[in-house]
Amino acid sequence: MGRCMTNQRIVVVEDDAIVARDLQRTLTRWGYHVPAIAGSAVEALERMATADPDLVLMDIHLRGEMDGIAVAEQVQSRLAVPVVFLTAHSDDATLRRAKVTSPYGYVLKPFEDRELRIAIEIALHKHATDTRLRRLERWLNATLRSISDAVIATDLDSSILFMNPIAENLTGWRQAEALGRPVGDVVKALPDEADPPQPNFLSQAFAGALDHDLIASGRLVTRHGSQVPVEYGIGPIRDDDDGPILGLVLTFRDISARLETDRQLRYFALHDVLTGLSNRVGFMDRLATACERAKRNPEERYAVLLLDLDRFKIVNDSLGHLVGDQLLVEIAQRLRTCLRAQDSIARLGGDEFAILLTDIADAGDVMRAVGRIRDQLSAAIVVGGRDVFTSASIGIVVSAPGYQVAEDVLRDADVALYRAKDLGQGRYVLFDSEMHRRVVASMQLETELWRALERQEFRVVFEPILSLQVPRRLRGFEALLRWQHPTRGLLQPSAFLDLAEETGLLVPVGWWGLRQAVEALLAWDREAPHEPPLTISVNLSNRQFLQPDLVEQVAETLVTLGLAPDRLCLEITENVIAEGEAALHKIKGLHDLGVQLHVDDFGTGYSSLNLLHGIPIQALKIDRSFVDQLNRPGSSKGAIVRTIVLLAREFGLRVIAEGVEDERQAMLLHELGCDCGQGFWFDHALDAAGARDLILRSAAVEG
């Protein structure tokens, strides 16, 4: 036999010294290393403690009290080293004793070299394989014990062979008690309550009817009778992919926490966290259900109440958001008490609530619910140690055959709510078709407004401003905005200015109008010069006035176009001035530019007297509502105009009256002390060319 190259160490335990030396020479020749030879049991144990052998060739019969079998037992318990017995005796009793030590082979004396070498190589290979298997078994066992899933393995007879600790905890069975039991005694799985009955997957798996691993969910009945929601898998164990089934492996995972998380997510998806009420999504689900029921059976009527709290922003701004949140929680609780068991309530966001009344007999049911709500909200609410009083504006929609989807119902409730808020605090409005028509028309108008700016459909006209002293002389013009609508003709500001202000469109249109007015004034200077130079008055909308770069934009326009600042009169309202320090800062900035500031519609706002003190303005404009009443017997408007004029004189301001429509009004205004006037009595609003012609005529008369 050839020499094999190996570093494996073999200890020889043989009481016959000649045989031992012969073995050592033979093993060395084969390439093995023999670190020690022992002739007795004691000597063998001492040598092996330091020799670190890979294999022991052990003679069964040794000198002394211990024979080789006894030594092999200790070698196994201490070193786990494979032993191959050498013996000349092969009687049954000796072999039975030797078998207890799990020897890796027997070689009968006298032996041939080939027989010995084969026995050694088989023993070493078998030991290496066993070592790898033991390591793999320990790795698998550690893995199965450390994973978070429960694992149970069975044999072909469905008896349990293994359970990891998670399986023990989940089923309530200890592995020691469960081993050998039928798996059906330990694992009792029920389908989910909502699922249809399922086949016995364990039976199918053992019968080979499952051609793939099964993943399912259900409820595991523990040893103590409780039920745990689980996700489980069943897979057959085979030697190879096509081999027969040797057993099953079952895995279980407790999904209680996941189901609870899912439940919470579903709850938060449908509920408002602050109040615990349904949110918009949850409310729309219920409203959609009510809508579908009403379509199938028109007698099943419902109503939607959309509530918006009055003065809630004041509470938030003055007392803080924490108090505001407490107020919302208290209101939610009060609203709950107003409803019947079948009704639903939701917080849609902010201070907006929605109520769905179902199974209503008539409008009386709705009005009674509204009455209960108003009564509940009328009482003081104590939050943050303070008494807070609030009310709600309410938009109401009652089901009708025309409603096909829930979104349309809520849309109309919002329209009614918007109308209720326009009427004042604590009001309610029942939606009707006319409201919808107005909303649609408003939306259409908004779309057309934006297109009007792109298509340059806006026009600037000029209303003359004249002195009221006879002979009346031209002093300037007020630039007014018009819309040349493609189908409706020339529209007055009352038809579109409020909507343009609300949508923000009035800001770009306002700057466009200012530039148009200044350019027209400069063109008149070139074509029809006038002495003294005329002024041009331009209205600043509230939103335009609040622009952060207001002063810079005005300055840039004046510099770019080359107009003297004192010839531009910017008209602002009392309400704008009352905005506070920011507004006063802008007024001062405009005054520093040199432009004139006029207060438009004076007397129709609030805090009128306070506004005159310390504000750098040059003129007051009396609203046409005062001028219109001057001719009427018993009217007190003349006294109001006289008071305004006296105040203006006290502060050194000029007074301009708007809406002068006849000579008598003009004379009375002059007698009361007004400086200038404008209105149809003097002339209608003119285009730029018409204004130029008026300037030429005025210059000829005055010349």
Side-chain angles (χ1 to χ4, degrees), residues 191-206:
D192 288 330
E193 294 178 351
D195 292 343
Q198 298 179 0
N200 189 325
F201 293 118
L202 289 174
S203 300
Q204 286 190 357
F206 278 113

Side-chain angles (χ1 to χ4, degrees), residues 308-347:
D308 190 90
L309 300 183
D310 301 321
R311 300 185 301 276
F312 180 73
K313 186 177 186 300
I314 296 175
V315 175
N316 256 351
D317 293 345
S318 59
L319 302 181
H321 290 280
L322 180 60
V323 173
D325 287 348
Q326 293 173 353
L327 177 62
L328 291 173
V329 171
E330 176 62 27
I331 286 177
Q333 292 174 351
R334 292 193 179 190
L335 291 176
R336 281 192 182 101
T337 65
C338 302
L339 305 181
R340 303 164 301 171
Q342 67 266 36
D343 300 330
S344 303
I345 180 173
R347 178 183 175 221

Side-chain angles (χ1 to χ4, degrees), residues 387-629:
D387 285 347
V388 177
F389 292 89
T390 188
S391 58
S393 301
I394 307 175
I396 306 168
V397 169
V398 178
S399 61
Y403 287 120
Q404 297 298 313
V405 293
E407 288 75 9
D408 290 347
V409 181
L410 194 63
R411 175 203 64 200
D412 290 347
D414 195 51
V415 170
L417 173 62
Y418 188 83
R419 176 59 180 158
K421 294 172 71 173
D422 280 348
L423 296 176
Q425 297 179 356
R427 306 294 292 273
Y428 65 87
V429 168
L430 180 64
F431 177 84
D432 59 35
S433 57
E434 177 60 22
M435 289 183 193
H436 184 252
R437 188 197 65 77
R438 289 197 300 267
V439 170
V440 172
S442 178
M443 292 178 60
Q444 178 65 26
L445 184 63
E446 180 179 347
T447 302
E448 292 173 347
L449 268 173
W450 286 102
R451 291 176 179 169
L453 183 61
E454 298 172 358
R455 298 172 180 175
Q456 300 181 347
E457 294 173 358
F458 290 107
R459 303 287 183 266
V460 175
V461 296
F462 304 91
E463 187 170 279
I465 301 174
L466 288 82
S467 65
L468 292 178
Q469 182 178 359
V470 180
R472 299 186 177 106
R473 299 183 183 277
L474 185 63
R475 291 291 178 256
F477 292 88
E478 179 179 356
L480 301 172
L481 196 63
R482 300 288 187 267
W483 179 9
Q484 188 64 53
H485 194 278
T487 59
R488 297 167 60 186
L490 190 66
L491 299 183
Q492 298 294 316
S494 58
F496 64 89
L497 274 189
D498 287 344
L499 183 59
E501 174 81 354
E502 180 183 335
T503 60
L505 181 63
L506 200 52
V507 173
V509 172
W511 289 120
W512 173 85
L514 173 63
R515 189 178 184 93
Q516 292 291 310
V518 172
E519 288 178 345
L521 181 62
L522 293 173
W524 300 331
D525 285 349
R526 293 190 298 270
E527 300 172 14
H530 190 277
E531 287 296 336
L534 301 175
T535 60
I536 188 73
S537 297
V538 179
N539 287 280
L540 285 181
S541 70
N542 291 1
R543 185 171 291 197
Q544 191 177 7
F545 180 83
L546 295 175
Q547 294 299 301
D549 59 347
L550 169 70
V551 177
E552 291 76 8
Q553 289 233 41
V554 173
E556 181 183 355
T557 301
L558 293 173
V559 171
T560 302
L561 299 180
L563 180 69
D566 61 347
R567 299 183 64 192
L568 175 62
C569 304
L570 296 178
E571 298 187 4
I572 56 179
T573 66
E574 295 174 80
N575 293 339
V576 162
I577 299 175
E579 286 289 331
E581 289 297 324
L584 297 181
H585 179 74
K586 290 179 181 178
I587 291 172
K588 184 179 183 303
L590 294 171
H591 176 72
D592 292 343
L593 285 181
V595 303
Q596 298 188 51
L597 290 170
H598 296 177
V599 179
D600 196 17
D601 301 333
F602 186 78
T604 61
Y606 62 94
S607 303
S608 301
L609 297 179
N610 295 332
L611 295 177
L612 299 181
H613 179 67
I615 306 296
I617 56 179
Q618 285 70 47
L620 302 179
K621 299 193 74 172
I622 300 177
D623 186 66
R624 65 179 62 246
S625 62
F626 298 115
V627 175
D628 183 57
Q629 299 291 320

Side-chain angles (χ1 to χ4, degrees), residues 629-643:
Q629 299 291 320
L630 287 178
N631 293 342
R632 299 187 181 181
S635 172
S636 62
K637 299 298 184 179
I640 295 176
V641 172
R642 183 180 294 107
T643 301

Side-chain angles (χ1 to χ4, degrees), residues 131-407:
T131 300
R132 285 194 299 271
L133 288 175
R134 283 194 297 271
R135 287 176 180 171
L136 180 60
E137 183 179 357
R138 287 194 296 270
W139 181 85
L140 288 174
N141 190 57
T143 299
L144 292 173
R145 290 181 178 278
S146 63
I147 63 175
S148 58
D149 288 355
V151 179
I152 297 176
T154 75
D155 60 15
L156 187 57
D157 297 325
S158 79
S159 298
I160 292 178
L161 298 176
F162 171 82
M163 293 178 68
N164 70 349
I166 300 298
E168 292 180 326
N169 294 335
L170 196 56
T171 62
W173 286 82
R174 302 268 68 84
Q175 177 176 255
E177 301 173 286
L179 291 179
R181 286 180 175 273
V183 68
D185 291 352
V186 176
V187 180
K188 298 178 180 179
L190 301 175
D192 288 330
E193 294 178 351
D195 292 343
Q198 298 179 0
N200 189 325
F201 293 118
L202 289 174
S203 300
Q204 286 190 357
F206 278 113
L210 286 180
D211 56 0
H212 60 278
D213 292 352
L214 170 73
I215 302 295
S217 61
R219 291 166 291 136
L220 178 70
V221 181
T222 71
R223 186 177 188 180
H224 307 295
S226 59
Q227 295 184 11
V228 180
V230 293
E231 183 178 77
Y232 60 89
I234 303 175
I237 302 173
R238 293 182 171 91
D239 278 340
D240 53 56
D241 292 341
D242 299 324
I245 294 177
L246 304 178
L248 292 180
V249 59
L250 293 79
T251 59
F252 296 84
R253 177 177 299 169
D254 184 351
I255 58 174
S256 301
R258 190 180 77 191
L259 293 179
E260 176 61 20
T261 299
D262 291 345
R263 187 195 66 78
Q264 291 181 0
L265 289 175
R266 287 194 298 271
Y267 178 86
F268 289 131
L270 300 175
H271 290 80
D272 172 53
V273 177
L274 177 64
T275 63
L277 301 177
S278 293
N279 59 12
R280 182 181 293 271
V281 175
F283 182 79
M284 293 305 291
D285 283 347
R286 290 183 173 88
L287 180 55
T289 300
C291 189
E292 289 300 319
R293 290 177 58 188
K295 284 194 292 185
R296 293 192 298 269
N297 185 5
E299 293 183 359
E300 294 192 18
R301 304 184 67 193
Y302 63 90
V304 171
L305 280 59
L306 199 58
L307 288 75
D308 190 90
L309 300 183
D310 301 321
R311 300 185 301 276
F312 180 73
K313 186 177 186 300
I314 296 175
V315 175
N316 256 351
D317 293 345
S318 59
L319 302 181
H321 290 280
L322 180 60
V323 173
D325 287 348
Q326 293 173 353
L327 177 62
L328 291 173
V329 171
E330 176 62 27
I331 286 177
Q333 292 174 351
R334 292 193 179 190
L335 291 176
R336 281 192 182 101
T337 65
C338 302
L339 305 181
R340 303 164 301 171
Q342 67 266 36
D343 300 330
S344 303
I345 180 173
R347 178 183 175 221
L348 302 188
D351 60 336
E352 191 173 65
F353 294 84
I355 293 173
L356 173 63
L357 305 176
T358 56
D359 299 329
I360 61 174
D362 51 33
D365 287 346
V366 179
M367 291 302 103
R368 283 187 285 274
V370 171
R372 293 193 297 270
I373 291 170
R374 300 178 77 184
D375 290 343
Q376 280 289 335
L377 297 185
S378 64
I381 299 175
V382 180
V383 288
R386 299 171 181 264
D387 285 347
V388 177
F389 292 89
T390 188
S391 58
S393 301
I394 307 175
I396 306 168
V397 169
V398 178
S399 61
Y403 287 120
Q404 297 298 313
V405 293
E407 288 75 9

